[in-house]
Amino acid sequence: MMKMMLLVIVLCMMVPTAAIKYVTCGSTTGNLTIEVHEEWSQLGAERFLDLVESGFYNGVGLFRNVKGFLCQFGLPAEPSEKWKRFKRIKDDVNKEIAFGKGYMSFAGSGSHSRTTQVFITHRANKRLGKSPWETPFGLVVEGFDAIAAWSTEYGDIHAFNKKNGVETGRLAKEGNAYLKEGFPNISYLTTCQVSRSPPTATSGPSPSPFPAVTQQIRQTAQPIFNTYYLVYLIGMVPGVVLVALLVIRKRRRKL
């Protein structure tokens, strides 16, 4: 029986775990590091990483930055035919992961409407996550000082701020030329790139390389297995049962 239990444990350990990837972005006020969790929102995470690797977010304006709420970006700095390949993607299964400070999700306008626009929360928000497209795919783990310094002068977009909000329709058509003309103090991302290595803490009292990720977040937000790995594990059950039966049969022969 002990041998059988050890065999089951070893086989379970062989099940692959979801790899965490990191994205480092420069901005006009400093750098930030994003931890991407594919098991939270697989399609969203894959699309975000694809956009980063394509250079889409290089130079984009942070056109919607509402103090105490969120910062939204993801309209191209220079409109181009090459960006049209990023069509709408289907919504991920909503795993009801609560939005904490620094969490990232795609913005949308309805079911299966996610394309390139994403947002970062400035603080925990229980209202977010109710819409099917609002499923977190990652969170900021370094660079909150840089985020806090992003300009909030223009606040919400024009649809909610008629006084001086950015018109997203014009931005989509004209790119940064529109922002530079009418919003001279807006903040920008400069570059974004994917990294497979975790960030290294350079300041602060915490020795952890993830000062922004608390143990509570790890326990509540990261599931042990996503659907893929669960199916993988279930598929191994017949093999484990067969091995167990062979062990039992061998022991009966000895008796």
Side-chain angles (χ1 to χ4, degrees):
M1 181 61 69
M2 183 61 69
K3 290 182 178 179
M4 185 176 71
M5 291 177 65
L6 289 173
L7 179 60
V8 171
I9 292 172
V10 170
L11 290 174
C12 288
M13 290 175 66
M14 292 172 63
V15 177
T17 56
I20 297 174
K21 297 183 177 66
Y22 301 90
V23 170
T24 301
C25 293
S27 77
T28 47
T29 59
N31 299 332
L32 60 146
T33 301
I34 301 159
E35 188 177 87
V36 180
H37 290 259
E38 294 185 59
E39 74 275 18
W40 291 2
S41 179
Q42 184 176 356
L43 296 177
E46 290 175 352
R47 167 55 63 86
F48 178 68
L49 293 170
D50 190 11
L51 286 162
V52 171
E53 291 179 331
S54 73
F56 180 87
Y57 292 115
N58 295 346
V60 299
L62 306 173
F63 62 83
R64 183 189 188 193
N65 194 16
V66 183
K67 189 175 182 179
F69 182 36
L70 58 76
C71 179
Q72 185 172 327
F73 56 91
L75 289 173
E78 294 184 8
S80 171
E81 290 293 322
K82 65 181 179 180
W83 304 133
K84 291 185 178 181
R85 72 180 181 89
F86 293 110
K87 306 295 184 182
R88 295 185 177 192
I89 59 174
K90 292 183 178 181
D91 294 328
D92 281 288
V93 175
N94 193 327
K95 298 181 179 180
E96 299 183 354
I97 297 173
F99 278 81
K101 180 181 179 180
Y103 274 53
M104 292 190 67
S105 169
F106 274 86
S109 56
S111 298
H112 313 304
S113 62
R114 298 179 297 175
T115 53
T116 61
Q117 295 186 52
V118 297
F119 63 82
I120 300 173
T121 55
H122 288 314
R123 63 183 180 187
N125 192 314
K126 294 181 180 180
R127 293 181 300 168
L128 294 172
K130 306 298 183 183
S131 301
W133 59 87
E134 288 178 351
T135 51
F137 60 79
L139 69 163
V140 175
V141 294
E142 283 188 350
F144 284 98
D145 289 343
I147 293 174
W150 289 347
S151 174
T152 57
E153 179 179 341
Y154 309 108
D156 216 331
I157 56 176
H158 187 261
F160 308 110
N161 174 21
K162 303 297 183 182
K163 181 179 179 181
N164 63 342
V166 172
E167 294 184 45
T168 55
R170 286 195 60 184
L171 176 57
K173 293 179 180 179
E174 302 174 33
N176 284 359
Y178 164 65
L179 294 180
K180 291 177 180 178
E181 179 182 355
F183 309 87
N185 297 325
I186 206 166
S187 300
Y188 296 85
L189 293 183
T190 52
T191 59
C192 286
Q193 59 184 3
V194 177
S195 171
R196 266 62 182 181
S197 302
T200 301
T202 56
S203 62
S206 174
S208 169
F210 307 106
V213 185
T214 64
Q215 186 64 26
Q216 182 180 3
I217 292 174
R218 290 288 187 178
Q219 292 176 349
T220 60
Q222 183 175 2
I224 298 174
F225 299 106
N226 62 12
T227 305
Y228 170 80
Y229 300 123
L230 183 59
V231 171
Y232 186 98
L233 182 59
I234 292 173
M236 294 176 64
V237 170
V240 174
V241 173
L242 178 60
V243 171
L245 291 174
L246 290 174
V247 171
I248 293 172
R249 182 179 179 183
K250 185 176 181 180
R251 293 189 65 181
R252 284 180 176 176
R253 285 181 177 179
K254 289 183 179 181
L255 297 173

